Amino acid sequence: MITTLSGETFLKMKNDLSFVIDFELNIFEHQSTPSPNIPLRDLYYLAANLKDLVKQETLYGPTLVQIPTPKFYVFYNGTIAMKDEVTYRLSDMFKKKVESPSVELIVTALNINIGHNKDLTEACKALKGYSIFVTKVRKYIKEVEAEYNSSHAISLNLMADNKDIMKTLIATAIEISIDECIQEDILKDFFTDYRKEIIEVGVHEYSFERHM
């Protein structure tokens, strides 16, 4: 059962997926920036999900209400170095540390950049293809920036401050990366079918990443 929340999201794009399988509520997110605050965000997300899944009136009765077991994961593919696996805990955010917190939420962050978590990426064709694609995009962004800088004699700082220029360069890098992935049979059908959407989302994502 898909339980991904609807409504407005950051940058008007979804970077989360929630579903119930075998009585487990699995909540996955994608991040390109390490964030120790993810447990609190997931606590909000969990509460909203359970509110949709459980009828409020049943909570006041004598019968135990059973809920799916929550599990939280983050797929990380940013440029800041990170171990293959990092654990974030809600209790790490508490100002006052206690030995046995009354509330705890644990999130497992998995680095899916090329060279990390090889067993996972080899087992999942989509994750591996996505990681390869992101690596290509970052490579070509640097190359098209350097080429533009060389041909227009404009400083990198001024170029970075011009949003229209940057969006054009990022879109170019994404298009080159998509073409390469199709040629190399990396998620070929996906890139062929959703080329326009991937470019639009990619420009938003990489523009935001640079802004941050």
Side-chain angles (χ1 to χ4, degrees), residues 4 21 25 41 45 75 88 113 118-119 128 146 151 178 192 196:
T4 305
I21 293 181
L25 175 58
R41 299 210 309 269
Y45 200 107
F75 293 129
Y88 296 119
N113 280 304
K118 291 183 179 179
D119 288 345
K128 182 178 181 180
S151 60
I178 289 174
T192 301
K196 182 180 178 181

Side-chain angles (χ1 to χ4, degrees), residues 60-173:
Y60 299 95
T63 304
L64 177 69
V65 174
Q66 293 190 311
I67 61 176
T69 303
K71 289 189 173 183
F72 306 91
Y73 297 94
V74 170
F75 293 129
Y76 170 77
N77 73 329
T79 55
I80 297 172
M82 178 187 270
K83 297 177 182 177
D84 277 15
E85 185 173 314
V86 175
T87 300
Y88 296 119
R89 298 175 184 272
L90 183 68
S91 58
D92 291 337
M93 302 177 70
F94 297 166
K95 283 187 177 181
K96 182 178 181 180
K97 305 301 179 184
V98 292
E99 192 169 317
S100 300
S102 296
V103 177
E104 183 64 285
L105 190 150
I106 301 171
V107 182
T108 301
L110 301 170
N111 190 339
I112 60 168
N113 280 304
I114 297 298
H116 294 271
N117 282 305
K118 291 183 179 179
D119 288 345
L120 174 63
T121 53
E122 288 298 328
C124 182
K125 183 179 178 181
L127 267 184
K128 182 178 181 180
Y130 175 67
S131 297
I132 293 172
F133 170 67
V134 170
T135 300
K136 289 179 180 293
V137 172
R138 287 181 175 144
K139 170 191 171 186
Y140 286 118
I141 284 176
K142 290 181 180 179
E143 290 188 7
V144 296
E145 279 183 352
E147 184 178 340
Y148 187 91
N149 172 254
S150 175
S151 60
H152 291 77
I154 182 175
S155 72
L156 291 175
N157 287 336
L158 286 175
M159 189 168 67
D161 287 338
N162 191 311
K163 292 181 181 179
D164 291 334
I165 292 176
M166 288 310 303
K167 286 181 178 180
T168 300
L169 297 180
I170 291 171
T172 300

Side-chain angles (χ1 to χ4, degrees), residues 22-41:
D22 193 24
F23 305 109
E24 289 185 354
L25 175 58
N26 299 274
I27 297 177
F28 291 87
E29 285 205 55
H30 161 255
Q31 298 289 329
S32 58
T33 304
S35 176
N37 303 313
I38 188 69
L40 183 55
R41 299 210 309 269

